[in-house]
Amino acid sequence: VPPSSLSMSQSPLTTPTTPSEAKSRRTLCHAPEATAPPSITALTGPINELEQRILESMPAIERWFRLEWMEHTPPFYSSVDLRNAGFKLAPVDTNLFPGGWNNLTPEMLPLAVQAAMAAIEKICPEAKNLLLVPEKHTRNTFYLSNVQRLMQIFHQAGLNVRLGTLDTEVKAPTTLTLPDGSTLVVEPLLRTRGRLGVKDFDPCTILLNNDLSAGIPKVLENLHEQYLLPPLHAGWAVRRKTHHFQSYEEVAKKFAKLLGMDPWLINPMFARCGEVNFSDGAGADCLMSNAEALLGKIRRKYKEYGINEKPFVVVKADNGTYGMGIMTVRDAKELDVVNRKTKNKMSVIKDGQEVTQVIIQEGVPTYERV
């Protein structure tokens, strides 16, 4: 979120207001005027201390980002799930294989094309051909619309784009029809020695829009002189949410120090349980004790800031995606009486992967409504 468009009220740095007054004042993350949908959480109260501090610190914030990007390569593309509680704004998940590109407004397209051009230029300035490897959801029309928009963005950025599928059942170019009558053609991947492509198409760059939940396919390994984005270790076969949030916590502390604020305002607390089986109840003690401890920490923070909310935690698969393997817990005792339906929901995630590790994350209530 560009700091200039940040609007936050009822900060823990201000005097707590009455619950009804506070509720009417919570707001955050206004998009530019031209594209902003009406939000029922529009700012009505005075600019609070935290927002003022962010606005005043803008030059320092922008410089901080500029220096960080010099030291660290940002992901090629990503999307972040933000939760705005009014008293706290925190990312609760980061997707390295983002979908939902079809949700961008037409006005956003030139900006997306510009961003794509800049990102490609950094990696492969002479890039001509891009191979996009999507998920296998050929029946999910929303996902296909997302792929179509992604292709459109890179096409307008000056690249030839083709779709190569990891689905081994696709033996020849296959046409998929979208709800608006337009079509996409997915083709079987062709591996020639150390290079990957599709028939009569040799790409410089391969962009994964498949999160590799089912594991790393052999066809993507040991590619020669081709850029694979994101890298294989970004997939859920390797990546873990707890590692991500451990790293994020360090960054949040640095950033909060720059602004002289409590890092908790932008960071959800979390815990991890490593040996869990929802089917036979293994790891239940770890889940209960960690959930209870985390709820206690949140209660103490709420008390410190005079926040009149009931704390909750969210239990998620540590390598999960697509909103699968998630449950909300307001009392640790709830974990002792999990019903069969919830157990089944928590046991398996995308591509039939069993859940054995979970992250227990501080729940951040959402007050944005569109």
Side-chain angles (χ1 to χ4, degrees), residues 307-329:
I307 295 161
N308 187 23
E309 297 279 349
K310 187 171 171 62
F312 66 98
V313 295
V314 180
V315 180
K316 303 192 258 194
D318 205 7
N319 60 337
T321 181
Y322 274 76
M324 298 172 81
I326 294 178
M327 66 186 288
T328 302
V329 178

Side-chain angles (χ1 to χ4, degrees), residues 113-330:
V113 171
Q114 201 180 345
M117 287 168 84
I120 286 283
E121 214 168 275
K122 276 184 190 171
I123 293 148
C124 185
E126 71 283 359
K128 182 183 170 187
N129 295 338
L130 179 122
L131 179 68
L132 182 58
V133 180
E135 294 282 357
K136 298 178 190 175
H137 307 323
T138 51
R139 286 193 295 272
N140 183 335
T141 54
F142 291 109
Y143 178 73
L144 293 179
S145 298
N146 151 75
V147 171
Q148 184 184 49
R149 175 56 63 86
L150 209 42
M151 289 180 78
Q152 182 189 6
I153 289 167
F154 287 106
H155 177 72
Q156 289 186 18
L159 294 163
N160 300 315
V161 189
R162 300 263 286 269
L163 288 177
T165 180
L166 287 167
D167 191 343
T168 51
E169 289 178 19
V170 176
K171 307 289 185 193
T174 305
T175 302
L176 306 171
T177 306
L178 278 74
D180 64 358
S182 58
T183 57
L184 288 177
V185 177
V186 292
E187 303 176 63
L189 290 170
L190 287 179
R191 180 74 187 246
T192 314
R193 295 186 186 90
R195 294 183 74 83
L196 186 69
V198 292
K199 194 179 179 186
D200 302 325
F201 190 78
D202 184 33
C204 145
T205 307
I206 297 152
L207 181 63
L208 293 176
N209 199 242
N210 182 309
D211 60 31
L212 308 180
S213 288
I216 297 170
K218 283 265 182 269
V219 74
L220 296 178
E221 291 180 345
N222 307 313
L223 293 175
H224 184 59
E225 292 179 355
Q226 282 178 307
Y227 294 96
L228 181 67
L229 305 167
L232 292 177
H233 62 260
W236 287 123
V238 179
R239 187 177 176 235
R240 294 293 176 266
K241 291 180 183 181
T242 42
H243 292 166
H244 172 88
F245 279 102
Q246 209 167 347
S247 301
Y248 175 74
E249 188 171 12
E250 290 170 31
V251 177
K253 280 177 183 172
K254 281 187 200 171
F255 182 80
K257 192 176 180 183
L258 175 83
L259 263 69
M261 67 184 227
D262 183 350
W264 177 74
L265 299 176
I266 55 169
N267 181 38
M269 297 185 285
F270 74 94
R272 177 183 178 270
C273 283
E275 297 294 326
V276 176
N277 187 318
F278 283 92
S279 302
D280 64 14
D285 291 347
C286 175
L287 275 173
M288 281 183 72
S289 60
N290 275 296
E292 187 56 65
L294 194 53
L295 284 164
K297 281 183 187 175
I298 303 166
R299 274 187 211 105
R300 284 193 289 279
K301 276 290 179 188
Y302 280 13
K303 191 176 179 186
E304 181 186 338
Y305 286 121
I307 295 161
N308 187 23
E309 297 279 349
K310 187 171 171 62
F312 66 98
V313 295
V314 180
V315 180
K316 303 192 258 194
D318 205 7
N319 60 337
T321 181
Y322 274 76
M324 298 172 81
I326 294 178
M327 66 186 288
T328 302
V329 178
R330 286 182 165 77

